Amino acid sequence: MSADATASSTIDRDFAVGIARAFAGALIFALPMLMTMEMWQIGFSISPWRLILLLVVQMPLLVGLSRFVGFERTRTLGEDVTDAFVAIAVAVLMAAVVLFVFKVIDTDMTRQEVIGKIALQSFPGSIGALLARGQLGQQGRAADEDRQDPTYPGELFLMGVGALFLGLNVAPTEEMIQLSYMMDPWRELALVLLSLVIMHAFVYSIDFPGGSEFPKDMGFWTLFVRFTVVGYVVVLLICLYLLWTFGRTDGTDIEDVLSAAIVLGFPSSVGAAAARLIL
Amino acid sequence: MKAQNGKAGVLREADAGTTRAASSPPWERLVAALGVVLIVAMIGSMVYFALTHERSVPAITIETEPPRPAGQSHVVRFRAVNGTGTTAAALHIRGELRQGDTVVETSEATLDYLPGDSERFGGLFFRHDPARYELRVFPVGYNEP
């Protein structure tokens, strides 16, 4: 009985530490966005359906993330789902407190404005909360070796999260559109090539996949196509989704939308390729 | 902890459904439940807003406060109220001091955003004392965000 009590109090303490880490992670990940003016404006000017879709997408994303990089050696879907919702709770509370202190939300604002602003921020915040519990919670590399080797789709999923990690910081800003207007097609083409080269350099040099080196028998072109090119396509799709969510594609012709995706794709592809390092 | 997980893993394979629910500590499940409540509430509210919200044009009314001296000029603080659910961005507000048909002085202010069913405050500076003239403050234009 007493042993039981000790065990459960240890677990409670572990959990409290885990929650503290989750708050820290949510803050680290979401702070740039909490302090970005566009994110406040998008919070209430966004089409409600797009925000709903973002909130719905967030749930399987977090469950998947918990599966691959989650903390505590989660093994069951139930635990991953629990992790995901803990991350959401932490992110929502963190966003509400910080936005209120910043006076971005206030008691005299409409419910739609307040909820929209918090809901939008809960997306990056919950990713940060989940990652932090996974990352800060493990003791060094020993735990890392223990983690599951992602399959190929899993590897692409992680790249996608990596793309969100860097892409979300800049996706809502006016600069994405501004840069795409300033750049001529040749510069955009150069940026695509630069993105691919940087991505491949990361893919090639980082232990890959799953903590081991990439298979020796995999040739340059196979590796390039399997991870870099396909990864870049995933990145571009994520960029298009983010731009659409943030209303950057509305009333914009396909050429300008593509340009903006390429611009946003640059930081996102670096994030995707470095996913193994930063996640 | 690891040994425990390993053991639990075996159990789970045998009886996945029930063991899964019991595998997380109660505190964690409580916070997770809070997360469920929060996200369901957020999605529910947004669905409600989406269904009740009609895209129209913003209707803006402006109320002014009595002028106050401010340095070498006078300031008229105003409250802009958006009576519809539609947000106005870069809302341009103009104030005029009139004497009969002639406009003595104009002043302008821009509100970055006036969300739907919300109010924002601003002020207009005038070199003449607005108390001695007829003051008109009205919205001029806006951007759709």
Side-chain angles (χ1 to χ4, degrees):
Chain A
M1 185 64 201
S2 70
D4 245 22
T6 318
S8 87
S9 83
T10 313
I11 291 170
D12 282 354
R13 199 177 159 279
D14 285 353
F15 180 64
V17 171
I19 286 290
R21 285 187 184 124
F23 270 103
L27 202 57
I28 291 169
F29 197 92
L31 256 185
M33 282 147 276
L34 285 163
M35 302 182 83
T36 299
M37 190 168 68
E38 285 89 343
M39 284 293 275
W40 317 331
Q41 293 162 357
I42 290 166
F44 59 78
S45 64
I46 189 173
S47 141
W49 293 114
R50 292 185 199 182
L51 191 52
I52 291 163
L53 184 65
L54 191 71
L55 292 172
V56 170
V57 164
Q58 169 177 326
M59 290 185 270
L61 179 87
L62 291 170
V63 172
L65 196 55
S66 169
R67 176 102 302 218
F68 291 118
V69 295
F71 71 122
E72 289 190 343
R73 307 289 350 106
T74 51
R75 289 288 180 226
T76 65
L77 186 63
E79 284 173 312
D80 289 327
V81 170
T82 307
D83 274 7
F85 285 107
V86 167
I88 289 172
V90 166
V92 170
L93 293 178
M94 184 278 301
V97 170
V98 174
L99 290 177
F100 184 76
V101 171
F102 286 163
K103 207 179 173 250
V104 173
I105 57 173
D106 210 343
T107 48
D108 61 356
M109 289 174 183
T110 58
R111 280 194 309 144
Q112 179 167 6
E113 187 175 356
V114 172
I115 294 172
K117 282 173 177 172
I118 294 175
L120 188 62
Q121 296 287 356
S122 77
F123 183 71
S126 57
I127 296 175
L130 199 94
L131 289 177
R133 292 185 77 189
Q135 205 162 44
L136 308 174
Q138 302 286 7
Q139 270 111 38
R141 312 303 296 175
D144 253 13
E145 283 165 20
D146 195 35
R147 77 179 172 196
Q148 286 170 300
D149 273 6
T151 53
Y152 178 60
E155 203 71 58
L156 291 179
F157 173 81
L158 281 184
M159 288 176 116
V161 176
L164 284 174
F165 191 96
L166 280 192
L168 265 174
N169 286 298
V170 288
T173 63
E174 195 73 44
E175 282 83 346
M176 294 305 104
I177 307 298
Q178 179 85 27
L179 285 171
S180 70
Y181 286 154
M182 280 159 55
M183 289 167 68
D184 53 58
W186 293 110
R187 283 192 161 87
E188 277 160 14
L189 200 60
L191 191 61
V192 171
L193 291 176
L194 191 61
S195 304
L196 284 170
V197 167
I198 291 174
M199 263 187 103
H200 193 69
F202 270 101
V203 165
Y204 191 81
S205 59
I206 293 172
D207 287 353
F208 208 87
S212 60
E213 283 172 26
F214 61 86
K216 291 274 186 277
D217 54 343
M218 204 181 269
F220 172 86
W221 288 108
T222 317
L223 190 71
F224 183 73
V225 172
R226 260 174 77 87
F227 290 101
T228 308
V229 174
V230 176
Y232 189 63
V233 170
V234 171
V235 165
L236 280 187
L237 290 175
I238 288 172
C239 292
L240 286 172
Y241 174 67
L242 288 179
L243 290 169
W244 175 78
T245 299
F246 294 146
R248 294 296 188 195
T249 58
D250 298 359
T252 312
D253 74 3
I254 187 77
E255 196 188 326
D256 291 329
V257 168
L258 197 60
S259 309
I262 289 169
V263 171
L264 179 55
F266 182 58
S268 303
S269 59
V270 173
R276 281 250 151 246
L277 280 183
I278 56 184
L279 298 188
Chain B
M1 192 65 198
K2 250 175 210 162
Q4 206 180 20
N5 269 344
K7 203 171 114 193
V10 177
L11 278 175
R12 268 169 220 137
E13 300 217 331
D15 186 11
T18 50
T19 325
R20 266 172 202 178
S23 58
S24 308
W27 275 109
E28 188 164 10
R29 272 180 284 151
L30 199 68
V31 178
L34 177 67
V36 173
V37 170
L38 285 172
I39 197 149
V40 168
M42 288 194 299
I43 292 176
S45 315
M46 293 316 296
V47 170
Y48 172 78
F49 297 141
L51 294 178
T52 54
H53 179 82
E54 66 224 57
R55 279 265 161 208
S56 58
V57 290
I60 289 139
T61 48
I62 293 173
E63 296 163 18
T64 55
E65 292 179 3
R68 279 183 268 179
Q72 288 185 311
S73 41
H74 303 264
V75 68
V76 174
R77 208 164 160 264
F78 65 83
R79 182 171 85 112
V81 183
N82 187 350
T84 63
T86 307
T87 300
L91 178 64
H92 210 66
I93 288 161
R94 184 176 297 157
E96 286 178 355
L97 293 186
R98 289 169 157 265
Q99 194 164 38
D101 279 347
T102 51
V103 176
V104 180
E105 188 181 350
T106 63
S107 178
E108 289 176 350
T110 305
L111 295 177
D112 285 344
Y113 273 89
L114 181 54
D117 298 310
S118 300
E119 58 179 25
R120 291 287 188 273
F121 293 86
L124 295 165
F125 288 107
F126 293 100
R127 299 176 71 81
H128 297 82
D129 183 1
R132 292 160 53 198
Y133 300 91
E134 182 197 350
L135 172 68
R136 286 190 194 174
V137 181
F138 49 91
V140 186
Y142 69 97
N143 288 345
E144 288 186 4

